[in-house]
Amino acid sequence: MANATEVFTTEPNEAYTEVDAGAGKHIEPTLMGLAPYQWVSIAMLILLLIAFFVAKVHKTIGGGLDSRIAAIREQLDEAKKLRAEAEALRDEYAAKIADAQKDAEAMLANARTEADAVMQRAEEDSAEMVARRQRMAEDKIAAAEREAIEDVRNRAARAATAASRKLIAEKHDAAKDRELADEIIAGL
């Protein structure tokens, strides 16, 4: 074993490598068959890949968060628009309700005025009807009185005529009637 490397340990944690002086070669320590510069290259490659993927993941996460933030902003903007529309509708309906209340009050006042006018007209009409019926009743009573007076006069005239006939018949005879008729004719 002329070119072989011998490892000597004096302490449990220390290891020394002895190089064959005649060969002039220096043997580097290895770990799992890889030299230190290879391990450094692999570590740098892994760090670069990690940095690259972390940057990609960071951009992906950031992009996802940005898109999520944009979506939330759109939802908030839409909610603001909907709220503004709802408030406008609420104000519009509040105005309509106020107008409806004013219209209802005006209609109620108008109905009261019309009811008062109808009541007054009804009272006037009933007063006129009572007065007209009273006049009709008075006219009927007056007509009945006139009729009764006329009837009484006619009966009185008939009774007087009958009584005068009877008296004349009792007190006058035909000769006295001739004398009376001649007297009346002579006076004419």
Side-chain angles (χ1 to χ4, degrees), residues 138-153:
E138 288 174 355
D139 289 345
K140 282 183 181 180
I141 291 171
E145 284 178 355
R146 284 191 303 269
E147 218 176 278
I149 290 172
E150 188 69 29
D151 188 42
V152 169
R153 282 185 183 163

Side-chain angles (χ1 to χ4, degrees), residues 1 3-7 17-20 27:
M1 277 202 170
N3 285 341
T5 306
E6 295 180 23
V7 177
T17 307
E18 207 176 285
V19 180
D20 187 10
I27 297 178

